[in-house]
Amino acid sequence: MIKIYFLILLLLSSCTTVITNVTNSNNLSELNVKQIGSYKRGETCTFSVLSIGPFGNSSIIETAEKGGINKIIFVDTVIKNRILYKNICLVVYGN
């Protein structure tokens, strides 16, 4: 019986996600979405398998450095949940 509970817990735990919000210091009403393509873009991802992980580095600083960004304008998160696999990507836009 304990094995069944453990298996259910293991399968359901891969569907949970904890995301911490970044404090918004800019007024998003001033952000022109059509201009996002003109900004530099950096993206880093982490992944986990069977809730073991995360593996990888997706800090804002690492993402900005990867995109060659000095001033961050907008930060977005892309989450892909699969049955056994989860991928969380951080996308940073800026100049």
Side-chain angles (χ1 to χ4, degrees):
M1 188 66 136
I2 293 176
K3 290 181 183 181
I4 292 173
Y5 288 130
F6 180 73
L7 181 62
I8 290 171
L9 179 66
L10 182 65
L11 291 175
L12 293 178
S13 66
S14 65
C15 298
T16 61
T17 302
V18 176
I19 300 293
T20 57
N21 291 329
V22 177
T23 303
N24 181 15
S25 60
N26 293 330
N27 185 359
L28 291 180
S29 64
E30 297 174 3
L31 179 65
N32 186 354
V33 179
K34 294 179 183 178
Q35 288 182 334
I36 286 186
S38 65
Y39 296 129
K40 293 180 183 177
R41 181 179 189 274
E43 181 175 348
T44 55
C45 297
T46 61
F47 68 95
S48 61
V49 179
L50 291 174
S51 295
I52 300 171
F55 301 104
N57 183 5
S58 65
S59 68
I60 292 177
I61 294 172
E62 178 79 21
T63 307
E65 287 176 354
K66 187 174 181 181
I69 298 170
N70 294 321
K71 181 180 178 186
I72 297 172
I73 295 175
F74 185 72
V75 177
D76 196 9
T77 306
V78 179
I79 302 170
K80 297 177 184 174
N81 280 324
R82 305 292 189 255
I83 294 173
L84 303 173
Y85 176 84
K86 179 171 42 177
N87 192 22
I88 301 174
C89 294
L90 183 69
V91 183
V92 173
Y93 297 92
N95 297 318

